Amino acid sequence: MQTDALLDRFLTSLAPLAPVAVWAHGSLAGGDYQEGRSDLDLIAVLERPPTLSTVRKVVTLHRALRVEPLAAKLHCSYASTDRLDDTGHKHPTWAHDHVLRRTVTPVTRRELYAFGRVLHGRPPAGLLPPVSDRELSDFVVRDQREYWRPAVDRARLWKQDIWVDLGLVTFARATVTLREGRLISKRESLDLLPGLGAPTEVVEDIRRRRYADPLPPTPEWTARRSELTRSYLGAAIDALVTAYG
């Protein structure tokens, strides 16, 4: 499998940095990974905080991986053992072909504890602070209120597949987390969305693009899908935030 080959080469390339651990979360760990469509979401834990020299090595490493199929989908945050307990710290992260900075969110931390996949070294327990139910729910509400709800009003975004897909799936996940305190996969999210009132034709469109090989959407469907999604999500997020905020 191309994914295994890429991960093997990545871990070999990472060896000079002597990582304490390398973990996978997201679809790759949660059992709903679709090769060629899903991202590979990773965290490498280093003994010391990454320096500018370390970041340069990371850039060189990832650029060398570009020849590998799926390399563009490999995203990795580089955290250090002494910063893992700082939930607000933004760690150097390779994603979308450049370095940016990201926190290890409460959702990611809960994923790692619940079903994280250890690719190298030590497991999350003992290195990564656990996340409480309250911290998780507070983050989920804040993410829906402060990130996704304003995004709904930016019409141009919702002509893109990625915004439609993530917007609806993230809302379903947020709903289940707040109601039941658990995390669910993208597949389960798609199964639940119609029951949450989401437009069925949009949900089926997402399902086809994730699990089948559909034809490219027409401009007419792209515009209609955008309106259906935004109309649903705006009111749905408002109701969820009011109920749990």
Side-chain angles (χ1 to χ4, degrees):
M1 191 164 81
Q2 291 180 333
T3 301
D4 292 335
L6 174 60
L7 290 175
D8 286 345
R9 180 168 177 183
F10 173 69
L11 292 173
T12 299
S13 301
L14 200 59
L17 296 181
V20 174
V22 181
W23 305 320
H25 58 100
S27 298
L28 185 61
D32 190 31
Y33 177 74
Q34 303 295 306
E35 186 168 83
R37 298 178 182 180
S38 299
D39 290 332
L40 292 87
D41 299 312
L42 310 178
I43 295 177
V45 182
L46 308 180
E47 189 67 46
R48 297 179 179 83
T51 62
L52 181 58
S53 175
T54 306
V55 173
R56 286 173 176 160
K57 292 176 182 177
V58 165
V59 170
T60 300
L61 181 163
H62 283 280
R63 286 178 175 171
L65 288 177
R66 286 173 175 167
V67 297
E68 295 287 336
L70 310 181
K73 293 186 172 296
L74 193 156
H75 304 161
C76 186
S77 292
Y78 292 83
S80 58
T81 54
D82 63 338
R83 296 285 177 84
L84 283 172
D85 60 350
D86 183 354
T87 58
H89 185 75
K90 294 184 177 181
H91 309 277
T93 300
W94 179 268
H96 309 297
D97 206 38
H98 68 282
V99 174
L100 44 83
R101 290 187 175 272
R102 287 179 176 170
T103 62
V104 179
T105 71
V107 170
T108 296
R109 287 162 53 201
R110 179 62 67 89
E111 284 183 355
L112 286 166
Y113 264 84
F115 51 79
R117 177 177 167 186
V118 178
L119 302 177
H120 168 80
R122 295 169 57 184
L127 281 177
L128 186 70
V131 56
S132 68
D133 290 344
R134 181 55 184 266
E135 184 182 1
L136 180 63
S137 62
D138 285 350
F139 171 80
V140 168
V141 170
R142 188 167 60 252
D143 186 54
Q144 288 290 301
R145 181 182 63 237
E146 297 179 7
Y147 181 80
W148 286 105
R149 186 59 183 89
V152 171
D153 294 329
R154 298 169 64 187
R156 63 179 180 81
L157 298 177
W158 301 88
K159 300 292 181 67
Q160 302 173 50
D161 292 349
I162 188 66
W163 280 91
V164 173
D165 296 0
L166 284 182
L168 286 170
V169 165
T170 302
F171 173 76
R173 286 174 155 175
T175 300
V176 172
T177 297
L178 293 172
R179 288 180 179 177
E180 305 175 24
R182 64 186 181 94
L183 305 179
I184 61 173
S185 68
K186 289 182 179 178
R187 187 184 294 273
E188 189 174 355
S189 297
L190 294 175
D191 291 341
L192 292 174
L193 275 165
L196 296 175
T200 302
E201 57 191 308
V202 178
V203 175
E204 290 308 310
D205 176 68
I206 299 172
R207 193 188 304 277
R208 284 191 297 271
R209 284 187 286 101
R210 182 169 176 79
Y211 300 110
D213 294 301
L215 295 173
T218 65
E220 293 77 15
W221 169 239
T222 298
R224 174 172 165 75
R225 184 183 65 183
S226 172
E227 290 303 314
L228 287 170
T229 303
R230 293 177 61 229
S231 177
Y232 167 71
L233 272 183
I237 291 173
D238 288 343
L240 187 69
V241 168
T242 299
Y244 292 96

